[in-house]
């Protein structure tokens, strides 16, 4: 029997692809940037398993043509680029990379928060421009976070680790979530409140929810108006969770003090006016972009493919219902 085939839609950092090559015939798409639809379809037609990125849209039409795939192993914890219901219907396993990027993403949220509070970007520009002429007690005054209140929207893995960091900074923690998180309540004194109460009371709001129909525009113009004028909004989750146009308006009107943003509603495009604002720090969706996390992500992607192609349950299977179908057909 020939080796099973794995198609990877772009070059990845880390050791995962080498691990796959030990067992399978692996092709890695050679283009820089997102793969074209045609090349993706061609690669998928050849393969038994796909490794996809969050820029690859896997919809029902794609799955209709590719129900021969055993697994689509997404190189991301978020999988809003994939139609999960359609994948299950077509008997295709979907996996993601939870756990291995948790600390990196939570650290990035803290970095954005610190950049805003300590005015790091403004201060850097000021210093480089040769404007530092004398020490001044009024110069570039920022915010101390000790004793302030942080509102954590979504306390899954990443939100929970963010709480740990915030607790170490002696911040008071409010959270909103569909679940009660007794562990963070006990460990960090976090208090569950509804989203409106969280927004009204918080000096920093950090978003850690997945993108779902129920979280799209969770933070819209109305919600932004509830926030304190001195508050910072931090988003390292998914862009469409925030109405970005409304955010630009709120920032322009100084309804909130600033924002630290890693993800955009219409990525890679930014909402008009966002990049002109001084009360923001903007990074290009790199919260999981550490050598450590991206390597672990590539290994986990490979382990998910290995398990699926060897007839085992992948360690991070998203659509567990799909196994019912596999049992019925005896595949
Ligand atoms: C990155 O955004 C991810 O979902 O892993
Ligand atoms: C994702 O890893 C999350 O649960 O926050």
């Amino acid at each position: 029997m020939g080796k099973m085939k794995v198609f990877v839609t772009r070059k990845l950092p880390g050791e995962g692809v080498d691990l796959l090559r030990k067992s399978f015939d692996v092709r890695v798409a050679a283009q820089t940037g997102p793969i074209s639809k045609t090349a993706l379809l061609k690669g998928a037609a050849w393969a038994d398993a796909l490794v996809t990125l969050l820029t690859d849209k896997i919809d029902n039409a794609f799955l209709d043509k590719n129900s021969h795939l055993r697994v689509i192993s997404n190189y991301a914890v978020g999988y809003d680029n994939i139609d999960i219901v359609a994948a299950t219907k077509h008997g295709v396993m979907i996996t993601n990379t939870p756990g291995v990027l948790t600390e990196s993403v939570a650290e990035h949220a803290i970095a954005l928060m610190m950049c805003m509070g300590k005015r790091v970007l403004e201060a850097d520009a000021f210093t480089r421009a040769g404007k530092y002429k004398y020490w001044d007690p009024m110069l570039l005054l920022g915010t101390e976070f000790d004793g302030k209140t942080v509102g954590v929207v979504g306390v899954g893995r990443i939100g929970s680790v963010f709480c740990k960091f915030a607790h170490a900074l002696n911040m008071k923690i409010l959270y909103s979530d569909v679940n009660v998180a007794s562990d963070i309540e006990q460990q960090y004194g976090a208090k569950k409140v509804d989203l409106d109460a969280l927004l009204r009371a918080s000096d920093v709001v950090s978003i850690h929810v997945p993108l779902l129909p129920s979280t799209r525009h969770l933070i819209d113009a109305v919600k932004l108006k509830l926030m304190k004028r001195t508050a910072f909004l931090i988003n390292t989750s998914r862009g469409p969770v925030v109405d970005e146009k409304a955010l630009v308006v709120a920032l322009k009107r100084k309804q909130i003090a600033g924002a630290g943003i890693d993800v955009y509603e219409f990525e890679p495009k930014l909402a008009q006016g966002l990049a002109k604002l001084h009360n923001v720090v903007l990074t290009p969706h790199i919260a999981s972009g550490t050598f450590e996390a991206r390597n672990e992500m590539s290994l986990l992607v490979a382990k998910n493919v290995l398990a699926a192609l060897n007839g085992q349950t992948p360690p991070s299977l998203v659509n567990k219902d799909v196994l019912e179908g596999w049992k019925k057909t005896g595949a």
Side-chain angles (χ1 to χ4, degrees):
M1 204 178 87
K3 283 187 182 172
M4 295 189 98
K5 303 183 189 86
V6 183
F7 184 69
V8 183
T9 65
R10 214 185 308 173
K11 200 166 179 286
L12 301 179
E15 302 152 297
V17 173
D18 290 339
L19 184 61
L20 286 171
R21 284 194 205 284
K22 288 190 184 145
S23 304
F24 308 118
D25 188 356
V26 181
R27 279 188 200 163
V28 180
Q31 85 288 333
T32 50
I35 193 167
S36 71
K37 219 172 161 176
T38 322
L40 176 61
L41 282 168
K42 205 170 145 209
W46 167 82
D48 301 295
L50 275 191
V51 174
T52 52
L53 309 190
L54 54 85
T55 43
D56 301 328
K57 193 167 172 57
I58 305 298
D59 56 13
N60 188 52
F62 175 89
L63 289 155
D64 266 340
K65 295 195 186 82
N66 290 293
S67 55
H68 66 279
L69 291 169
R70 285 222 160 197
V71 62
I72 299 179
S73 182
N74 208 40
Y75 185 78
V77 69
Y79 43 82
D80 45 282
N81 56 310
I82 301 176
D83 184 336
I84 298 296
V85 174
T88 306
K89 189 179 78 189
H90 287 90
V92 179
M93 292 187 230
I94 304 297
T95 65
N96 67 337
T97 62
V100 294
L101 45 64
T102 308
E103 284 72 19
S104 283
V105 176
E107 286 174 5
H108 197 82
I110 293 286
L112 295 176
M113 177 179 108
M114 286 294 174
C115 263
M116 291 308 306
K118 311 302 168 186
R119 302 175 66 178
V120 172
L121 296 189
E122 284 169 88
D124 179 86
F126 179 92
T127 311
R128 282 171 199 269
K131 292 183 184 164
Y132 182 36
K133 304 290 188 204
Y134 47 84
W135 187 87
D136 191 286
M138 301 294 284
L139 185 59
L140 286 162
L141 298 185
T143 301
E144 180 171 280
F145 291 110
D146 184 290
K148 294 273 162 49
T149 297
V150 63
V152 186
V153 182
V155 286
R157 285 171 291 264
I158 298 169
S160 297
V161 171
F162 182 88
C163 288
K164 176 175 81 177
F165 296 156
H167 181 68
L169 292 169
N170 196 35
M171 297 184 81
K172 298 188 188 91
I173 303 171
L174 301 175
Y175 75 95
S176 67
D177 198 286
V178 285
N179 299 310
V180 173
S182 13
D183 47 343
I184 64 160
E185 293 187 4
Q186 277 156 26
Q187 289 179 64
Y188 313 128
K191 205 172 137 214
K192 185 171 176 186
V193 292
D194 67 34
L195 180 60
D196 287 6
L198 179 149
L199 294 170
R200 283 197 187 94
S202 296
D203 300 297
V204 178
V205 174
S206 192
I207 306 174
H208 301 284
V209 291
L211 176 60
L212 301 167
S214 58
T215 60
R216 186 173 291 272
H217 282 197
L218 184 66
I219 306 295
D220 60 8
V222 176
K223 298 290 185 207
L224 286 164
K225 282 201 184 102
L226 300 177
M227 289 178 66
K228 291 186 181 180
R229 295 190 91 87
T230 49
F232 300 125
L233 179 70
I234 308 298
N235 190 10
T236 52
S237 64
R238 282 293 181 267
V241 174
V242 176
D243 179 344
E244 198 171 307
K245 239 167 116 177
L247 175 64
V248 171
V249 172
L251 287 163
K252 272 191 183 152
R253 293 184 183 158
K254 307 258 163 62
Q255 271 168 25
I256 65 172
I261 307 288
D262 186 52
V263 288
Y264 304 89
E265 189 170 358
F266 301 105
E267 238 167 88
K269 287 202 188 87
L270 307 191
Q272 205 179 354
L274 184 62
K276 294 232 165 70
L277 297 170
H278 293 292
N279 49 348
V280 293
V281 48
L282 308 173
T283 54
H285 203 149
I286 54 162
S288 71
T290 60
F291 289 109
E292 292 83 358
R294 291 282 165 89
N295 184 44
E296 290 297 326
M297 287 164 73
S298 90
L299 286 169
L300 184 48
V301 149
K303 285 177 195 157
N304 281 317
V305 171
L306 274 160
L309 293 188
N310 288 327
Q312 292 151 3
T313 303
S316 32
L317 180 62
V318 170
N319 55 343
K320 300 206 167 57
D321 299 355
V322 79
L323 296 175
E324 295 304 311
W326 284 93
K327 273 184 217 140
K328 260 181 243 141
T329 59

